[in-house]
Amino acid sequence: MEDKRTEQYRQELKEFVMSHTEDVLKNPRSFIRYPFIDPGSVYDGNVWDWDTYWSVYGFLNLADSYQDPSVKPRIIEHAQGNIRNFFDHQLEDGYIPMMIEVADWPEPYLNMRHKEGKIMNMHKPFLCSQMCLISDYTGDYAWTEEFLSGVAKYFDCYDHYYFHENSGLYVWQDDIMIGMDNDPATFGRPPFSTANIYLNSFMCVELEAGAKLYRQFGKEEEAKKLLEKRQALIEAIQQECWDKRDRFFYSVDVDIKTRKYDWFHQGLGVFWKTLPIKVRVWSGFIPMYAGIATKEQAADMVKHIFDPDTFGSDFGLTTLSKDEKMFDLSVTNNPSNWLGPIWLVANYVVFRGLLNYGYRMEAEIMYKRTMRLLGTDLEKTGSLHEYYNPFNGEPVMNGGFINWNILALNMADELEGKKPMCLPELLEKQAEKQSL
């Protein structure tokens, strides 16, 4: 009976998403010169970095299912347009904004601030990943060649402004537009102090994607450098972010140094590179998605995913462990609330991580809980929302949100054997390695 209801929800969700696809395929406007995909709801007309990645991830998975033959090429056009818009606003030092929005300013707000000398966060590490995502689907990388010099500048910009040499990790400059808006590991903390596990784990995937782009055009030396950088980053994550006692990946504080005063602290100084920020956030599971956790680490972390005292929920997993003092379900936008509510992107990333490490039964549970959440929302409200209450599944806010809610359909297809949309050859290598 449960499986029948899950399948019903799946079909209803698929029909809903396909019938509302045109709602988020947007035409150029003002200084957004190319077609793009927005998340829907209150984000109408916004071009976001990781949001566009996950939208494309979901829509390309559906692209061959549309009866109207014009939809598929339009999805591809808008997906490529996402990339063109971001590179269209890349600054000379390689900086690319996280979000492009037309308002009462002549160019993206973040670019204006950057030109004034204010260093803010930049495009999260999903740019090359989205380029590979689109190109793997179409079988054509030729359109990306014009952006290779921009890709090099993009990675150089990350290294120049956001790489913390002592720890070997990347840091957020501040807590603005970090994806997980009020993640306690970064929200409210000093500038350049947090090497967030989210940022560093996804950067490992991004470096792999960048190397793949270079290889398409015979740039083996450039690809090799990115892969070496990726390996060094994995080692730094393992050394600094994995907590051997708690058996969990944490973000870490890098603002660590001996602070001498007068004649004090002349002896043994601070020799450790980071301090763990021991707040259990869903991002601690991202290393399983990225394939950088060991088999033993994955086994330890899986125990938390369904633990009712920490992350477990009948609708997926909470974005913050329920036993953290910051756990909160307030209705808020700017920042959005990641202190516990269910977000579909977190459900999917954890789902994919489970499959990467052979936890199929657990992945099926995550899928069924996710589909129940969205299916019930559709039945009750006729729409989808941005995030949800983890105790009763009720929507919290922002009806009409499409974006990564589509990923529930990716879950269904992947459980039936379809390859994931993200760098499938990388995930195959990971799965092969973990099965040894």
Side-chain angles (χ1 to χ4, degrees), residues 11 28 33 48 51 88 113 130 146 172 195 211 241 264 283 292 297 349 360 387 393:
Q11 295 306 318
R33 301 196 302 135
W48 286 91
D51 300 68
D88 196 36
R113 299 286 82 83
Q130 187 170 171
E146 66 177 286
W172 290 127
C241 301
F264 296 97
S283 50
I292 61 176
Q297 288 169 340
V349 168
R360 180 182 173 83
Y387 55 96

Side-chain angles (χ1 to χ4, degrees), residues 186-305:
T186 300
F187 192 57
R189 287 181 45 76
F192 295 111
S193 65
T194 302
N196 200 288
I197 190 63
Y198 165 109
L199 173 61
N200 286 278
S201 298
F202 282 128
M203 182 61 80
C204 290
V205 180
E206 182 76 341
L207 289 165
E208 176 81 20
K212 184 174 183 179
L213 284 172
Y214 280 135
R215 284 199 185 115
Q216 302 301 314
F217 303 98
K219 296 182 177 293
E220 293 297 330
E221 190 60 34
E222 289 87 342
K224 181 182 177 183
K225 289 179 181 178
L226 289 187
L227 292 178
E228 289 173 348
K229 190 177 295 185
R230 175 180 179 272
Q231 185 56 41
L233 181 56
I234 292 172
E235 292 172 5
I237 291 171
Q238 285 288 350
Q239 178 65 34
E240 302 298 331
C241 301
W242 175 250
D243 191 278
K244 296 177 182 178
R245 181 173 57 193
D246 295 353
R247 313 298 294 172
F248 198 79
F249 282 101
Y250 289 117
S251 298
V252 295
D253 185 347
V254 301
D255 188 15
I256 306 298
K257 61 184 178 181
T258 303
R259 303 175 197 275
K260 296 181 179 180
Y261 174 73
D262 202 352
W263 49 271
F264 296 97
H265 305 324
Q266 298 299 314
L268 178 65
V270 175
F271 58 86
W272 48 96
K273 299 177 181 179
T274 66
L275 280 178
I277 302 173
K278 291 199 171 189
V279 180
R280 286 186 291 192
V281 184
W282 80 270
S283 50
F285 302 111
I286 300 177
M288 291 178 64
Y289 170 88
I292 61 176
T294 66
K295 188 175 182 179
E296 293 72 25
Q297 288 169 340
D300 285 324
M301 290 191 293
V302 167
K303 299 172 186 176
H304 287 294
I305 296 173

